[in-house]
Amino acid sequence: STDAQADLYIVDNSGAVAISASGDNLLFQNTNSQTERMRINSSGYVTKSNQPAWFAYGGAGWNTINAGGTATVDFGNAATNVGSHYNTGNGKFTCPVTGHYLVNFHIYSENKEDNTSTNTTNYATARININDVNQSTTIVLLHFGGTGSEDSSYQWSGVMHLAANDHIRVVYHSYGDNHAYYGTHSSFSGYLLG
C-alpha cells in the first residue's frame, strides 16, 4: 500500500487510476491529480462528483413563435452544469460519452391568439432534437384547437441512448396561430445514467 490510511490500494498498469478502501468508503480516483471520481460508502450510496448533469431554464417573459415557425427553446440560464456540457448560448447539451441519459423538459406555454374556434390546424408542439433532427418519440402536443389565450404547462421525460458528441436541444413548433412559452417557467435538464 502506498497510502498510509488505506486498508487496500490497487493501481492500474499505467498508474493513473486507483481504487482504495479506507474506513467505510471505497474510493475511485485519478492518482495523478488525486481527484476522486466515485465513492461507495458503507450504506451502499454511490456518489460521482463529475457525473454529467444539467438543469437550465429561460429568462423572464414570453417568447413568441409565429404561426408556422420553429425555434430552439431559449434556456439561457444554467443552475446546474456539471462538466460544462450544456451551452447556454445555443441551448444544446453535448454528450461527453456514449450512454443512457435521463432527459426532461418542461414548457409553460400559451396560444397567443384569443381564438376559441375548434380549428384543428391550430396547435403547437415541443420535442427533443438530436443533432438537428427532430425525434418523433419525444413530442409533446402543447395546444390543440382553439383554446383561447389560456396558459398551460407540459412536460416530457425519458431515457435516451445517445452517442458521444451527440447534441440535444428542445425545439418548439407553432402551427395555425402564434404561440409562446414563458422562459422562467420552462426548463431542460438531464443526467448521465451510465
Side-chain angles (χ1 to χ4, degrees), residues 17-183:
V17 178
I19 302 170
S20 63
S22 181
D24 291 341
N25 297 296
L26 181 61
L27 305 175
F28 296 77
Q29 64 187 30
N30 179 303
T31 56
N32 296 329
S33 65
Q34 296 298 306
T35 303
E36 182 180 310
R37 296 300 183 197
M38 184 170 72
R39 174 185 297 252
I40 304 172
N41 74 9
S42 61
S43 296
Y45 297 127
V46 178
T47 55
K48 299 175 269 186
S49 60
N50 203 38
Q51 192 76 353
W54 78 99
F55 177 83
Y57 61 93
W62 288 101
N63 298 276
T64 299
I65 311 300
N66 293 328
T70 298
T72 298
V73 179
D74 181 11
F75 299 112
N77 303 290
T80 300
N81 196 3
V82 178
S84 299
H85 304 292
Y86 179 76
N87 184 324
T88 57
N90 63 20
K92 295 179 181 179
F93 174 80
T94 302
C95 302
V97 296
T98 297
H100 289 89
Y101 291 79
L102 175 63
V103 179
N104 316 280
F105 69 83
H106 174 261
I107 304 289
Y108 187 78
S109 182
E110 77 170 354
N111 180 342
K112 294 301 283 183
E113 309 301 320
D114 191 14
N115 175 0
T116 56
S117 73
T118 57
N119 178 2
T120 58
T121 61
N122 171 28
Y123 64 99
T125 63
R127 69 178 77 204
I128 297 290
N129 177 292
I130 302 174
N131 299 328
D132 301 319
V133 176
N134 290 330
Q135 303 302 303
S136 61
T137 58
T138 65
I139 193 167
V140 174
L141 184 62
L142 301 177
H143 295 278
F144 185 73
T147 56
S149 59
E150 64 189 29
D151 299 355
S152 300
S153 185
Y154 306 88
Q155 58 272 334
W156 180 89
S157 182
V159 175
M160 304 179 78
H161 185 268
L162 299 165
N165 298 314
D166 277 354
H167 59 264
I168 60 174
R169 62 187 173 138
V170 178
V171 178
Y172 191 110
H173 305 274
S174 180
Y175 305 93
D177 282 338
N178 297 333
H179 294 83
Y181 66 91
Y182 198 83

